[in-house]
């Protein structure tokens, strides 16, 4: 608002004492002070209200006015309640420094003026910001990106004095306004993300509010503009992939206009999110092509050719062929109706980002495909020197989940689980099939553990499990068919349970009593079934070698 507008409002009781030529100055705020030096509390553009308690004699006016001018204030308004008329020395000092001066009638409270200025300035700022946001949205939706989330957050900081950050669902800091100052601590980001996911799962309407370390944060979901409208899909399909806008303010008493404005800001940031997702399509397609070749048993030379295409995209500028790791993830929900594959894909892309990285750019190094309820990541690693000291390289299962376990547990609480398996690094196309099977085995190890979010790595696999992924398919099929097909045929014809009996017998370490108790059978019935297994296969289950063969056949079937 302009100073001139203050004089046009009779209820403010202002009388101009000097500065007629400066009435077009803009007022950005208001502050009441009786300090001799209030400069530390001034940022420029304020209407300063004073009761003149700082003035002991005429000599005090000049330094006081000089301080205000150096701070860039818009004008000074002096109350008449304390001294009656405003002192001439103050009028002269303001005239010398071209600082507009108003007298405030003793019947008008400073609170009345403050409320009026704040209401006018806030309304104008919101309107100006809304126009900027709308212009920015039109520019971004019709052409190249307009600078990313940081630009929008800077608008919130400069125009509405709001400190704000964009976070991923795992609590990774994606963007922050310059006005926000230093980056939020990792612990704070994690807590905010966890609160957002927990609130979203309960269906509570946003913004969600959280008091943390003495500050109040309001959390606004950032939903992809390309998705179905809110309410048309199960919230579990998007809750683990939506970004959030964290604002350091209590939005509980905000007017609808400001809430609508923040909603527009989240939509603007969602456009940037959609652009990032569109760019990721190429990497997803590369991962899908390579994994389809691996799973269909394509020749290593064909797989290697696709890897040569993928490497420059995922690791631009890399001169040597990289090593690769495979990470398998599965998100499972209780009940039916929620497709887990796309959720796991989006979540795995986020989990694989370095937790210390900021912004969306680190995602350019990750290629994730999904098939069914399973997401599979093809992660490139810089080539390891032949002189490497043998220490562990690449991704470690525990490290992947260390910073994301709390928020994801909140998002999955009640009816969901995330299990994740990590393979060892391989250096050729021939090793990818084994790495995929290894990661799947590790994920099954993780699935056997308690908890909403679990992971396991290749280091945790037993020796026989580590070897199984590298057995050629034709050898697997021949081995399992020779041992298990006769039993499967017998079970099918006679409705017997020889296969479950064999599994239980091996799990019981060959103990007749424990196995019979487990299957709720008489020991003689168990002995009959085991005898039938031995008769059909020509093996002896009292021999360690034959027990081991059956054990491996069941694991490979």
């Amino acid at each position: 608002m302009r100073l001139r507008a203050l004089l046009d409002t009779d209820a403010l009781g202002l009388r101009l004492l000097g500065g007629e030529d400066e009435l077009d100055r803009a007022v950005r705020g208001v502050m009441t002070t009786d300090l001799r030096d209030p400069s530390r509390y001034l940022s420029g553009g304020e209407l300063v209200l004073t009761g003149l308690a700082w003035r002991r004699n005429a000599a005090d006016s000049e330094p006081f006015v000089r301080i205000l001018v150096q701070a860039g204030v818009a004008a000074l308004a002096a109350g008449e309640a304390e001294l009656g008329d405003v002192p001439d020395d103050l009028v002269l000092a303001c005239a010398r420094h071209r600082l507009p001066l108003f007298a405030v009638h003793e019947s008008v409270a400073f609170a009345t003026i403050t409320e009026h200025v704040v209401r006018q300035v806030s309304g104008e700022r919101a309107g100006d910001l809304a126009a900027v946001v709308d212009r920015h949205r039109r520019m971004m939706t019709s052409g190249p990106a307009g600078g990313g989330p940081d630009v929008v957050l800077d608008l919130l900081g400069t125009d509405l004095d709001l400190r704000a950050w964009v976070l991923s669902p795992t609590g990774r800091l994606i963007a922050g306004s310059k006005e926000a100052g230093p980056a939020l601590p990792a612990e704070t980001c994690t807590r905010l993300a966890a609160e957002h996911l927990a609130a979203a799962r309960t269906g509570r309407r946003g913004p969600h509010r959280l008091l943390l370390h003495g500050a109040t944060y309001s959390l606004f979901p950032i939903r992809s503009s390309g998705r179905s409208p809110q309410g048309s899909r199960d919230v579990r399909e998007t809750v683990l992939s939506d970004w959030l806008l964290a604002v350091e303010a209590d939005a509980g008493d905000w007017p609808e206009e400001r809430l609508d404005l923040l909603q527009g800001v989240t939509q603007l940031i969602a456009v940037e999110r959609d652009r990032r997702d569109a760019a990721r399509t190429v990497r997803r397609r590369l991962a899908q092509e390579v994994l389809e070749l691996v799973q269909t048993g394509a020749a290593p030379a064909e797989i290697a050719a696709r890897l040569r295409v993928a490497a420059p995209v995922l690791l631009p500028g890399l001169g040597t062929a990289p090593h690769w790791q495979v990470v398998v993830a599965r998100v499972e929900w209780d009940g039916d109706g929620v497709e887990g594959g796309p959720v796991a894909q989006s979540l795995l892309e986020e989990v694989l980002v370095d937790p210390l990285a900021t912004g969306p750019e680190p995602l350019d190094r990750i290629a994730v495909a999904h098939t069914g309820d399973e997401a599979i990541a093809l992660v490139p690693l810089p080539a390891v020197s032949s002189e490497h000291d043998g220490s562990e390289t690449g991704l470690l299962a525990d490290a992947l989940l260390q910073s994301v376990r709390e928020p994801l547990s909140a998002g999955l609480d009640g009816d969901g689980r995330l299990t994740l398996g990590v393979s060892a690094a391989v250096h050729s196309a021939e090793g990818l099939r084994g790495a995929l099977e290894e990661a799947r085995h590790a994920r099954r190890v993780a699935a056997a553990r308690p908890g909403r979010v679990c992971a396991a790595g290749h280091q945790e696999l037993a020796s026989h499990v580590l070897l199984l992924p590298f057995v050629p398919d034709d050898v697997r099929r021949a081995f399992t068919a020779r041992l298990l097909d006769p039993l499967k045929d017998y079970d099918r014809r006679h409705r017997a349970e020889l296969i479950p009996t064999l599994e239980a017998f091996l799990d019981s370490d060959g103990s007749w009593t424990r196995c019979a108790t487990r299957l709720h059978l008489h020991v003689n019935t168990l002995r009959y079934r085991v005898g039938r297994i031995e008769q059909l296969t020509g093996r002896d289950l009292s021999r360690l070698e034959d027990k081991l063969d059956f054990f491996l056949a069941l694991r490979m079937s």
Side-chain angles (χ1 to χ4, degrees):
M1 66 178 301
R2 304 292 176 181
L3 289 175
R4 193 178 304 279
L6 296 175
L7 288 175
D8 296 334
T9 306
D10 294 337
L12 300 184
L14 295 178
R15 180 165 50 90
L16 184 65
L17 299 180
E20 293 86 350
D21 297 335
E22 307 292 335
L23 292 181
D24 286 328
R25 290 187 181 185
V27 179
R28 294 184 54 198
V30 61
M31 191 194 79
T32 299
T33 185
D34 276 313
L35 295 174
R36 297 172 65 87
D37 182 2
S39 58
R40 73 184 69 179
Y41 304 108
L42 297 170
S43 58
E46 295 93 349
L47 170 66
V48 175
L49 305 175
T50 180
L52 300 176
W54 50 267
R55 181 183 178 279
R56 296 183 177 88
N57 54 59
D60 292 336
S61 294
E62 174 68 22
F64 180 78
V65 171
R66 187 185 307 114
I67 289 171
L68 297 186
V69 171
Q70 290 173 348
V73 304
L76 174 66
E80 296 179 324
E82 185 71 20
L83 301 178
D85 292 338
V86 175
D88 291 339
D89 49 89
L90 181 59
V91 176
L92 292 174
C94 287
R96 279 194 296 271
H97 292 281
R98 301 181 63 84
L99 179 66
L101 175 64
F102 297 95
V104 182
H105 193 274
E106 62 181 7
S107 64
V108 178
F110 282 175
T112 301
I113 300 174
T114 300
E115 181 181 356
H116 176 82
V117 172
V118 168
R119 186 169 57 250
Q120 294 297 318
V121 170
S122 296
E124 290 177 5
R125 283 183 180 175
D128 291 343
L129 181 58
V132 173
V133 167
D134 184 62
R135 184 171 63 253
H136 202 64
R137 181 189 296 113
R138 291 196 302 270
M139 178 182 68
M140 291 170 60
T141 54
S142 62
D150 303 86
V151 173
V152 185
L153 299 185
D154 286 342
L155 292 176
L156 288 177
T158 58
D159 286 64
L160 290 184
D161 298 325
L162 292 177
R163 288 157 43 90
W165 304 263
V166 175
L167 305 178
S168 78
T170 63
R172 182 173 63 89
L173 181 63
I174 294 172
S177 63
K178 295 176 183 177
E179 300 291 327
L184 282 178
E187 177 189 359
T188 300
C189 293
T190 299
R191 287 288 308 279
L192 293 176
E195 172 65 19
H196 165 70
L197 290 176
R201 284 300 313 278
T202 61
R204 283 161 37 203
R205 183 180 179 183
H208 314 302
R209 288 172 289 159
L210 175 66
L211 179 62
L212 188 61
H213 303 311
T216 300
Y217 297 89
S218 297
L219 310 178
F220 297 81
I222 300 173
R223 296 186 173 89
S224 174
S225 60
R227 296 181 188 153
S228 301
Q230 184 180 4
S232 64
R233 295 176 61 182
D234 194 309
V235 67
R236 294 175 294 182
E237 296 184 42
T238 59
V239 68
L240 295 178
S241 58
D242 284 338
W243 288 355
L244 67 137
L245 174 66
V247 180
E248 189 179 346
D250 188 345
D253 55 357
W254 281 4
E256 287 296 326
E257 293 79 6
R258 178 166 285 205
L259 290 173
D260 289 344
L261 177 60
L262 266 292
Q263 182 63 32
V265 170
T266 64
Q267 292 171 0
L268 189 55
I269 296 173
V271 173
E272 287 293 300
R273 171 69 184 272
D274 291 342
R275 291 185 187 279
R276 188 205 66 171
D277 287 345
R280 192 186 300 174
T281 301
V282 174
R283 300 187 294 278
R284 286 177 171 176
R285 187 169 61 249
L286 283 172
Q288 195 74 46
E289 291 174 355
V290 172
L291 292 170
E292 286 178 359
L293 292 174
V294 170
Q295 295 185 98
T296 56
E302 186 177 359
I303 299 174
R306 297 307 302 162
L307 288 178
R308 285 194 293 271
V309 173
V313 176
L314 300 176
L315 288 176
L318 189 66
T320 56
H323 284 57
W324 302 90
Q325 271 183 287
V326 175
V327 182
V328 172
R330 185 183 289 264
V331 173
E332 298 172 295
W333 304 97
D334 296 343
D336 300 323
V338 181
E339 188 177 359
V343 178
Q345 180 184 43
S346 178
L347 188 55
L348 187 53
E349 287 170 331
E350 177 60 37
V351 168
L352 289 174
V353 178
D354 183 344
L356 299 179
T358 59
E361 291 75 14
L363 295 170
D364 294 342
R365 304 291 186 266
I366 299 164
V368 183
H370 77 84
T371 173
D373 288 333
E374 184 180 66
I376 304 169
L378 190 64
V379 182
L381 304 171
V384 181
S385 169
S386 59
E387 300 179 357
H388 190 262
D389 62 8
S391 61
E392 189 65 39
T393 61
L395 303 172
L396 300 177
D398 288 341
L400 284 178
L401 296 182
Q402 184 175 4
S403 63
V404 302
R405 182 172 275 108
E406 180 183 348
L408 294 185
S409 296
L412 294 161
D413 188 33
D415 61 350
R417 288 198 78 200
L418 166 68
T419 52
L420 185 146
V422 182
S423 79
V426 296
H427 66 278
S428 66
E430 291 86 347
L432 274 183
R433 184 185 178 283
L436 176 57
E437 290 299 317
E438 189 175 72
R440 283 173 168 162
H441 280 301
R443 193 207 64 78
R444 284 192 283 269
V445 170
R449 296 171 174 169
R452 292 288 171 189
V453 180
C454 299
H458 62 93
Q459 310 93 330
E460 303 175 63
L461 301 182
S463 59
H464 70 276
V465 179
L466 186 60
L467 293 174
L468 290 183
F470 300 95
V471 178
D473 281 342
D474 54 347
V475 176
R476 284 174 176 240
R477 287 191 292 268
F479 184 76
T480 57
R482 186 179 301 117
L483 283 173
L484 301 182
D485 280 3
L487 306 182
K488 294 177 180 177
D489 292 341
Y490 188 88
D491 283 347
R492 187 167 51 252
R493 291 197 310 270
H494 300 280
R495 296 183 179 180
E497 296 184 350
L498 297 187
I499 292 291
T501 300
L502 175 61
E503 292 176 331
F505 186 73
L506 295 176
D507 287 344
S508 301
D509 297 324
S511 169
W512 297 97
T513 303
R514 290 207 308 272
C515 184
T517 301
R518 178 175 177 175
L519 295 175
H520 305 289
L521 298 175
H522 192 277
V523 172
N524 289 340
T525 303
L526 176 61
R527 290 185 184 276
Y528 171 80
R529 290 187 181 179
V530 171
R532 179 63 67 183
I533 292 172
E534 293 174 333
Q535 179 186 7
L536 291 170
T537 60
R539 299 298 184 106
D540 182 356
L541 277 169
S542 66
R543 299 177 67 246
L544 176 60
E545 293 86 350
D546 287 341
K547 286 180 181 177
L548 180 58
D549 283 348
F550 277 121
F551 178 82
L552 293 175
L554 289 170
R555 289 296 182 271
M556 288 191 293
S557 64

